[in-house]
Amino acid sequence: MIPFHRPSIGKDEIAAAVEVLSSDWLTTGPRAQEFENAFALRLGVGYALAVNSATAALHLALDAFGVGPGDDVVVPTLTFTACGEVVNYLGANVVLADVGEDGLLGPEQLAKAITPKTKVVMPVHYAGLGVDIDALRRVWDGPYLEDAAHALPATVNDHNVGTLGDAAAFSFYATKTMTTGGEGGMLVTNSPDIAKRARMMRLHGISSDAWNRYGAGGKWRYSVEEAGYKYNLTDLAAAIGLAQLKRLDELWAKRASIAARYDGAFRGKGIDRPIRREDQHSWHLYVIRVEPDIRDAVILNLATHGIGTSVHFIPLNLMPYYQRLGYSEGDFPVAERLYSESISLPIWPDMTEAQVTTVINAVLEAVH
Ligand SMILES: *Cc1c(COP(=O)(O)O)cnc(C)c1O
């Protein structure tokens, strides 16, 4: 069996988890702060707030941008539903947009989606290829919230993804490029105002340092300023995240070498490979494209060889919830075609050369 994904958890991650479990502080505390500091340093960004998912980070960021009823938020249709649902949480309208051939929201697609009520645009760095947000700004110059769930560590024009927009959300879900033990996320921003609001809202709308109410000298007195959320990341998760963050480049290099092998093997074989640019791709996903009429059969064929695959994504406008908002099949021809052609292959750091070869041979056999 070659699963679609297997997280790379080494002895350092396990030791870090055991250390926290053996201590007397399990939830948000010193490890979470250390993780935030290390993450902010790594990205070169002013503020990093550890939360329990990227969905939480997206929600907190939209809240901090002041999104509410009557506002429009632009979301590419080729993404996970987290992007749209957080807009709904705040009572605002999801405005879906098509994507370009690279799977990304581009200036052309954005221009068609902008309305007088657009409050925030949420580009998705699909698969780990960075969106050029400077190019989008020439179309619309308001706040950009990067969905960077796929894109650690990726760059655009030598800038780290996560520092291109006004705020960004990273995911440490089990299948992403690093994990905090299954679930986790990070909100990053250079704005002190966004950081201040999100820090309060991620923990019940309580002002300042509420996590340390129980320590000696801890401040037992606190003030509830808003109806906030319960989005904090535990120290247990943060300790695992710190150990993974130290291995980020090592994990990336292994994925990049698998991508290079796939590229070489599929070249000239009637299989469309991911678009590459000068920028660093994070290689969260390696998405091949085949003729739509054979796509499902190829997936089944790979499954009979014990190879796990996935499809990213079924466009949001094909989903019942978004259809109740007024979207339908046919609204976004490029995203729908990319979806019908796409197969995401296994690309995880600990894949052996033999396993990569097995996937390559099975794909070539299934396609021809
Ligand atoms: C995984 C994912 C998310 C959500 O991440 P969670 O940490 O699971 O909340 C958001 N957007 C995209 C594009 C994703 O792939």
Side-chain angles (χ1 to χ4, degrees):
M1 267 302 293
I2 303 175
F4 171 64
H5 183 77
R6 181 179 289 155
S8 178
I9 299 293
K11 56 182 185 346
D12 288 354
E13 287 86 340
I14 292 167
V18 168
E19 194 188 325
V20 173
L21 288 171
S22 318
S23 77
D24 44 17
W25 196 267
L26 300 180
T27 188
T28 310
R31 290 284 89 79
Q33 281 193 343
E34 207 183 314
F35 184 38
E36 291 178 343
N37 293 342
F39 200 87
L41 197 66
R42 162 77 207 215
L43 237 68
V45 71
Y47 305 90
L49 276 75
V51 288
N52 56 19
S53 70
T55 308
L58 292 170
H59 183 196
L60 289 171
L62 288 185
D63 166 80
F65 284 126
V67 169
D71 292 331
D72 286 351
V73 177
V74 177
V75 170
T77 192
L78 194 69
T79 189
F80 187 55
T81 189
C83 299
E85 78 192 26
V86 295
V87 176
N88 175 280
Y89 293 172
L90 294 162
N93 310 313
V94 189
V95 176
L96 296 178
D98 207 351
V99 294
E101 287 297 325
D102 54 6
L104 307 181
L105 179 70
E108 229 179 283
Q109 298 82 34
L110 179 59
K112 288 186 188 151
I114 290 298
T115 73
K117 294 190 284 181
T118 303
K119 183 92 172 187
V120 175
V121 172
M122 198 191 299
V124 176
H125 304 292
Y126 175 83
L129 184 67
V131 175
D132 184 350
I133 292 178
D134 283 344
L136 297 182
R137 282 196 198 280
R138 292 196 277 276
V139 171
W140 186 76
D141 200 23
Y144 284 85
L145 170 55
E146 300 172 63
D147 179 331
H150 294 185
L152 185 71
T155 63
V156 174
N157 298 327
D158 294 325
H159 294 288
N160 286 324
V161 161
T163 65
L164 313 170
D166 300 275
F170 289 92
S171 175
F172 309 128
Y173 180 69
T175 62
K176 301 286 161 69
T177 59
M178 63 163 266
T179 185
T180 46
E183 303 285 353
M186 192 74 80
L187 169 60
V188 303
T189 182
N190 279 315
S191 157
D193 295 338
I194 290 169
K196 187 173 176 217
R197 169 81 184 181
R199 181 170 287 125
M200 177 180 72
M201 294 303 280
R202 81 171 155 182
L203 197 62
H204 304 295
I206 291 173
S207 65
S208 80
D209 284 353
W211 63 268
N212 196 15
R213 305 205 304 273
Y214 305 108
K219 299 188 196 106
W220 59 266
R221 198 185 291 279
Y222 63 90
S223 171
V224 177
E225 307 285 335
E226 295 284 349
Y229 310 104
K230 175 67 175 171
Y231 281 167
N232 55 303
L233 189 74
T234 67
D235 262 20
L236 177 58
I240 297 168
L242 271 164
Q244 287 262 286
L245 188 61
K246 290 199 181 93
R247 297 178 55 212
L248 191 61
D249 294 318
E250 168 212 329
L251 298 174
W252 174 82
K254 288 177 171 168
R255 289 192 306 274
S257 80
I258 296 166
R261 277 204 63 201
Y262 283 156
D263 268 5
F266 299 145
R267 188 169 297 130
K269 295 289 200 311
I271 299 165
D272 268 0
R273 293 157 289 127
I275 289 172
R276 283 173 176 269
R277 295 193 312 245
E278 288 295 299
D279 303 320
Q280 177 166 302
H281 195 302
S282 75
W283 296 116
H284 165 53
L285 300 176
Y286 190 94
V287 181
I288 58 166
R289 281 153 54 189
V290 301
E291 291 296 328
D293 54 343
I294 65 165
R295 195 273 306 269
D296 293 3
V298 171
I299 289 175
L300 273 177
N301 194 312
L302 292 172
T304 62
H305 286 80
I307 297 168
T309 56
S310 191
V311 172
H312 296 87
F313 290 94
I314 304 170
L316 295 182
N317 61 296
L318 302 185
M319 297 291 187
Y321 167 68
Y322 295 90
Q323 295 191 342
R324 288 203 300 278
L325 298 181
Y327 292 99
S328 3
E329 188 174 351
D331 286 347
F332 302 110
V334 178
E336 288 171 44
R337 181 170 45 72
L338 293 180
Y339 153 64
S340 69
E341 298 171 342
S342 291
I343 305 173
S344 301
L345 298 181
I347 181 165
W348 35 274
D350 298 335
M351 279 180 88
T352 64
E353 299 225 349
Q355 286 174 317
V356 177
T357 305
T358 301
V359 174
I360 289 169
N361 291 338
V363 168
L364 292 175
E365 187 197 307
V367 169
H368 293 103

